[in-house]
Amino acid sequence: MISVRHALRAAACLILLGGASAGGRAARVAITGAAEPFAPGVASTRYSEIRLTLSPDGRTALWFSRDRLGGPGGYDIWVSRRSGGQWRPAVPVSFNSAGRDFDPAFSADGRFVYFCSDRAGGSGGDDIYRVPVTGQGFGAPVNLGPEVNSAGKEFAPMLSPDGATLLFSSDRSGGAGGHDLFTAHRAGDGFAAAKRLVGALNTAANEFDATFLRDGATIVFARAMDFRRDRVDLLFAVPSIQGYDVGTMLPAAVNNDHDTYGPMLDWSDRSRLIFSGQRGEGGMDLYRVRYRILHSGG
């Protein structure tokens, strides 16, 4: 743990990781600095905070906690707003329920927040919802319906940078493992039927908590064989004509000896990746790190 903490505080580094990409070119994700905690004492606290999402203007932060006191349910989504150069004290969002509410994600235009909930009226265990962002805060949540949700559990929705593709995970029947990654393409005001991500990425393990990077193609996602026993790590995968590759582990600037998950593209600065990890004595905290996508060959 000492070496990991020193690595996080070190001067900027450049770590290159490679994979296959569309068009036969080699693709690499470069982690270009040390991970920095987000809003210590406000967002990153002694509680477990997971899956930070930032509005495009960088003035609103959402995340969820499974043990922070003060919300209406066991899992709650929290909001902090930035003013005067500081993040203000966090409060539970208005659309929390008495159940589990988690995995918030702003859309790229900041008009909607996608999230998961097991509230009454859904299709299964955890469903994906969308709530509009209003001048006063947030509107009423809307379930995305049977094209996206199943009788199982859906996690970590994320709308692509162009707004055309919803990425999420599900443990619905017929998959390669526990949770698999799915996409659903925009169709009018909703989405077409979700399909399992093509390629080698979905395995006998659990693949979940995924985000597109700024190119709208490269994916960062979490993998663990067993949620309860095995460490969770973050990987990246790039597409080719055969689909997504199996994934390449991100380096120690992101992963460590403890669980790391909850990745999200930073809409306020798309050169930054957000993730959740355990780095000290407390639970999961929120971090940001800079990255680049490099292509070579042809």
Side-chain angles (χ1 to χ4, degrees), residues 183-203:
T183 56
H185 297 292
R186 176 77 74 180
D189 291 334
F191 294 91
K195 296 183 179 180
R196 192 168 284 104
L197 206 66
V198 175
L201 189 154
N202 288 318
T203 69

Side-chain angles (χ1 to χ4, degrees), residues 19-23 25 27-29 158-167 181-183 185 197-198 201 210-221 235-241 243-245 247 265 267 270 291 293-295:
S21 70
R25 299 188 300 164
R28 295 176 295 172
V29 171
M158 193 274 186
L159 196 62
S160 59
D162 64 4
T165 304
L166 183 71
L167 175 66
L181 295 187
F182 286 76
T183 56
H185 297 292
L197 206 66
V198 175
L201 189 154
T211 182
F212 288 108
L213 295 185
R214 64 186 306 168
D215 63 354
T218 306
I219 290 174
V220 171
F221 67 99
L235 300 88
F236 81 91
V238 294
S240 69
I241 58 173
Y244 279 88
D245 62 62
L265 180 63
W267 292 124
R270 298 186 189 189
Y291 75 93
I293 301 171
L294 307 176
H295 297 277

Side-chain angles (χ1 to χ4, degrees), residues 50-51 64 100-106 114-117 126-129 144 148-149 153-160 165-170 179-183 207-212 219-222 261-264:
I50 303 162
R51 223 222 184 181
F64 87 91
R100 289 160 38 102
D101 299 284
F102 60 102
D103 285 350
F106 274 106
Y114 292 79
F115 71 100
C116 297
S117 179
D126 296 305
D127 279 6
I128 298 175
Y129 290 77
L144 293 193
V148 171
N149 294 310
K153 296 179 179 180
E154 280 71 46
F155 291 170
M158 193 274 186
L159 196 62
S160 59
T165 304
L166 183 71
L167 175 66
F168 64 98
S169 76
S170 177
H179 268 258
D180 288 339
L181 295 187
F182 286 76
T183 56
E207 283 80 30
F208 61 104
D209 277 16
T211 182
F212 288 108
I219 290 174
V220 171
F221 67 99
Y261 48 91
M264 185 67 193

Side-chain angles (χ1 to χ4, degrees), residues 25-294:
R25 299 188 300 164
R28 295 176 295 172
V29 171
I31 302 299
T32 58
E36 299 178 352
F38 177 79
V42 176
S44 295
T45 70
R46 63 188 178 92
Y47 300 107
S48 289
E49 289 90 17
I50 303 162
R51 223 222 184 181
L52 169 68
T53 183
L54 291 169
S55 60
D57 64 7
R59 296 173 60 185
T60 304
L62 299 174
W63 66 91
F64 87 91
S65 178
R66 57 191 173 214
D67 58 2
R68 190 167 181 162
L69 303 178
Y75 280 49
D76 293 302
I77 297 172
W78 293 75
V79 59
S80 174
R81 301 189 188 277
R82 188 172 179 84
S83 64
Q86 295 183 330
W87 289 102
R88 298 304 175 183
V91 297
V93 297
S94 59
F95 56 88
N96 281 319
S97 70
R100 289 160 38 102
D101 299 284
F102 60 102
D103 285 350
F106 274 106
S107 58
D109 59 12
R111 294 177 57 222
F112 293 95
V113 172
Y114 292 79
F115 71 100
C116 297
S117 179
D118 68 350
R119 64 189 60 198
S123 300
D126 296 305
D127 279 6
I128 298 175
Y129 290 77
R130 181 176 71 181
V131 60
V133 178
T134 69
Q136 293 72 42
F138 304 99
V142 176
N143 188 294
L144 293 193
E147 291 77 19
V148 171
N149 294 310
S150 71
K153 296 179 179 180
E154 280 71 46
F155 291 170
M158 193 274 186
L159 196 62
S160 59
D162 64 4
T165 304
L166 183 71
L167 175 66
F168 64 98
S169 76
S170 177
D171 66 352
R172 65 191 64 186
S173 62
H179 268 258
D180 288 339
L181 295 187
F182 286 76
T183 56
H185 297 292
R186 176 77 74 180
D189 291 334
F191 294 91
K195 296 183 179 180
R196 192 168 284 104
L197 206 66
V198 175
L201 189 154
N202 288 318
T203 69
N206 290 284
E207 283 80 30
F208 61 104
D209 277 16
T211 182
F212 288 108
L213 295 185
R214 64 186 306 168
D215 63 354
T218 306
I219 290 174
V220 171
F221 67 99
R223 175 178 284 151
M225 183 60 68
D226 188 305
F227 290 135
R228 294 162 294 185
R229 296 181 311 175
D230 301 321
R231 190 184 72 203
V232 183
D233 293 310
L234 288 181
L235 300 88
F236 81 91
V238 294
S240 69
I241 58 173
Q242 290 82 30
Y244 279 88
D245 62 62
V246 71
T248 300
M249 187 89 74
L250 288 172
V254 175
N255 291 306
N256 68 357
D257 293 334
H258 298 281
D259 289 345
T260 307
Y261 48 91
M264 185 67 193
L265 180 63
D266 183 346
W267 292 124
S268 70
D269 180 353
R270 298 186 189 189
S271 68
R272 289 191 298 201
L273 172 69
I274 300 167
F275 65 93
S276 302
Q278 185 177 353
R279 296 293 186 271
E281 300 301 323
M284 301 291 286
D285 284 325
L286 306 169
Y287 294 88
R288 291 187 293 181
V289 69
R290 292 196 177 275
Y291 75 93
R292 283 189 285 161
I293 301 171
L294 307 176

